[in-house]
Amino acid sequence: MMELQAVRDYLTALQSRICTTLEQQEPEARFGEDVWTRPQGGGGVTRILSGGNLFEKAGVGFSHVQGDQLPPTAAANRPELAGRRWQAMGVSLVIHPRNPYVPTSHANIRLFAAEKPGSDPVWWFGGGFDLTPYYGFNDDARHWHQTARDLCQPFGETVYPRYKQWCDEYFYLPHRQEPRGIGGLFFDDLNDWEFETCFAFLQAVGNGYLDAYMPIVERRRHLEYGARERQWQAVRRGRYVEFNLVYDRGTLFGLQSGGRTESILMSLPPSVEWHYDFQPEPGSPEHHLLTDTLRRREWV
């Protein structure tokens, strides 16, 4: 039996916990809150922190939306969903630190459900988290993936390898032939277990995000940087924008389903740069990121 209210309660509490944790790292900057409604049904709460000492931009959004007609991204491979009323709820976040030595992070957990009178409900969970560094630190990558592996272990030996590979394959820019970052976990269409077990896994991923990210933030936040590092960060942020606007399923679903544009695009960084055929100096830390860190590998 689906317990949609329990999922919603967990998601809203998670949003608040993450925002509180991030605010505790800032001397003055605080999240602004934008409560919105969707004309087609539902709404959400978007929280944005801008101009912080540590976090240049942080967006943590909750949404719970409904509709009578599925958008093309959701219905293309699931013809059995035609004619069903649907609802989707989730928390999505992107953190863009100011210091280029602190990586950008992204997390998303969500539930999709579609119902039709006289038929069993259709539901699945999805989500994960991934890390986008601008400078490569192997110990950060190992910690990130060890945390991901540990939270997956209670659900089976094959869960982490499967969702780690899925993340590597998903967060990839074919036109650049490069990964967006070092990956993490990505899963979708999860209904292999009972609803309660799938929900427990969703909570493990949601709770594991801060365990994975905050130690890295603390480790790198005080490293000194200058104009060179900031420019490299801006160039790499451009890759982030390219992926989100061209390939990201969540972005496409939100835009095609008539979602709230400001909330959907909150993931975009505050400033980026594109330079024609930009190439880092061979042997530099920037070059190391591309040739060593951003390679698919088994970190743990």
Side-chain angles (χ1 to χ4, degrees):
M1 180 67 180
M2 292 192 298
E3 295 291 343
L4 300 185
Q5 186 61 47
V7 178
R8 180 187 170 98
D9 291 344
Y10 170 74
L11 293 172
T12 55
L14 178 66
Q15 181 192 33
S16 295
R17 178 152 52 91
I18 291 173
C19 290
T20 298
T21 299
L22 298 179
E23 283 185 340
Q24 289 171 348
Q25 311 304 312
E26 292 285 356
E28 296 181 3
R30 295 294 179 263
F31 278 91
E33 183 173 275
D34 185 10
V35 180
W36 52 274
T37 57
R38 178 174 175 270
Q40 301 91 331
V45 179
T46 300
R47 294 177 180 166
I48 299 290
L49 183 151
S50 299
N53 285 9
L54 176 58
F55 303 115
E56 190 171 14
K57 180 183 178 184
V60 186
F62 165 78
S63 64
H64 183 186
V65 298
Q66 304 94 27
D68 295 319
Q69 185 69 32
L70 284 167
T73 50
N77 298 320
R78 289 180 173 270
E80 74 275 13
L81 296 181
R84 287 178 178 262
R85 179 168 178 78
W86 61 272
Q87 59 179 306
M89 64 180 77
V91 166
S92 182
L93 65 93
V94 176
I95 312 301
H96 291 292
R98 184 178 301 277
N99 189 323
Y101 289 110
V102 182
T104 284
S105 70
H106 161 254
N108 173 270
I109 54 174
R110 57 192 180 273
L111 167 65
F112 183 91
E115 298 180 276
K116 183 179 181 179
S119 302
D120 292 334
V122 177
W123 57 267
W124 64 82
F125 290 93
F129 52 65
D130 63 283
L131 196 70
T132 305
Y134 305 103
Y135 289 90
F137 296 98
N138 287 355
D139 51 346
D140 291 352
R142 284 191 291 267
H143 165 76
W144 182 259
H145 279 276
Q146 186 66 56
T147 305
R149 183 180 184 276
D150 289 348
L151 72 86
C152 289
Q153 281 298 99
F155 299 90
E157 290 288 335
T158 63
V159 174
Y160 169 73
R162 178 186 177 191
Y163 292 157
K164 189 264 187 188
Q165 179 180 352
W166 200 345
C167 191
D168 287 341
E169 293 172 352
Y170 180 77
F171 291 105
Y172 183 80
L173 288 79
H175 65 284
R176 297 287 189 180
Q177 297 185 1
E178 64 184 37
R180 189 175 81 171
I182 63 164
L185 299 173
F186 180 85
F187 65 99
D188 205 357
D189 303 323
L190 175 63
N191 58 9
D192 301 343
W193 308 310
E194 295 293 328
F195 185 90
E196 292 75 12
T197 304
C198 293
F199 180 29
F201 181 70
L202 187 86
Q203 294 174 78
V205 174
N207 297 340
Y209 165 74
L210 288 175
D211 296 335
Y213 188 50
M214 295 312 296
I216 297 174
V217 172
E218 188 59 35
R219 191 181 297 152
R220 307 299 170 193
R221 62 185 297 179
H222 299 297
L223 294 180
E224 295 185 3
Y225 63 91
R228 172 188 176 127
E229 290 83 4
R230 283 286 282 177
Q231 182 187 56
W232 176 243
Q233 180 191 51
V235 170
R236 296 304 303 172
R237 281 174 170 180
R239 301 290 205 267
Y240 206 91
V241 172
E242 290 175 23
F243 179 86
N244 278 29
L245 295 184
V246 178
Y247 299 110
D248 186 68
R249 288 173 58 180
T251 301
L252 298 177
F253 174 86
L255 296 176
Q256 292 181 2
S257 61
R260 187 171 183 271
T261 301
E262 288 300 313
S263 297
I264 297 165
L265 299 183
M266 74 174 186
S267 64
L268 301 183
S271 60
V272 298
E273 294 183 15
W274 279 276
H275 298 273
Y276 183 79
D277 198 25
F278 186 94
Q279 299 295 333
E281 179 184 348
S284 67
E286 294 82 8
H287 190 255
H288 172 80
L289 176 81
L290 302 183
T291 59
D292 184 73
T293 306
L294 297 185
R295 291 190 298 110
R296 291 185 188 178
R297 67 171 79 177
E298 299 305 317
W299 291 102
V300 295

